[in-house]
Amino acid sequence: FSAAAFVVSGPAETQQIGFSGLTQNISQSEANSGVTAYTFTIERTGGTTGDLTVTGGFAAGTTDVADFGGALPAGFSVTLLAGSASATFTVNVSGDTAVEADESFSLTISSVTNSAGIASSITAAAVTANATIVNDDTALPPASVTILAAAQSLTGSATTPVPTGML
């Protein structure tokens, strides 16, 4: 008999994708200048057949364009190559010296496509990643004035000085 007529195959793959549990909630300081990288990881389970393209959206939350170098990210696209169980991508946050509240943004996976036609879906519990930009800036203490008891431009007492008009 001919073995050519027989096809041996295993169970069909069904791949699940989502943000890694370690990068679903990132919180870090922004720094005073330059950029701080917020790195997110997309993972897949259920097999690694085919290139997997994952796209998603960006929600500004409490951030604004200044936090991202003048333009909000439009979204993201990342490809997990065949044989790979994960891939990373980065959102760069601009540092500043402004005293402000902590700010946040989020990323949500919207689509997944497998180049080999393998069934792929988004894991509901890992569809969104949240990031907090922790304010690392502090307000300067209020300026203080020291009144010297023997200042020539003042008369009166150290607790109630009276200007003399002389400097």
Side-chain angles (χ1 to χ4, degrees), residues 16-163:
Q16 294 282 316
I17 63 103
F19 284 101
S20 159
L22 297 175
T23 64
Q24 270 189 284
N25 291 293
I26 296 176
S27 182
Q28 58 189 19
S29 297
E30 65 187 344
N32 289 333
S33 62
V35 295
T36 298
Y38 283 65
T39 302
F40 299 89
T41 302
I42 301 286
E43 294 180 324
R44 73 169 148 183
T45 59
T48 60
T49 302
D51 291 348
L52 195 66
T53 302
V54 180
T55 60
F58 170 86
T62 56
T63 64
D64 60 31
V65 297
D67 294 307
F68 302 98
L72 294 174
F76 65 92
S77 179
V78 63
T79 299
L80 287 76
L81 298 175
S84 176
S86 67
T88 61
F89 68 96
T90 300
V91 175
N92 287 321
V93 172
S94 299
D96 65 31
T97 57
V99 178
E100 56 197 349
D102 291 350
E103 298 169 289
S104 62
F105 64 91
S106 63
L107 303 165
T108 302
I109 298 170
S110 59
S111 70
V112 57
T113 306
N114 189 301
S115 66
I118 302 295
S120 303
S121 62
I122 302 165
T123 303
V127 69
T128 300
N130 299 296
T132 301
I133 304 170
V134 178
N135 178 56
D136 59 353
D137 305 304
T138 56
L140 295 175
S144 61
V145 175
T146 302
I147 299 176
L148 302 174
Q152 292 182 5
S153 63
L154 301 174
T155 60
S157 68
T159 57
T160 314
V162 176

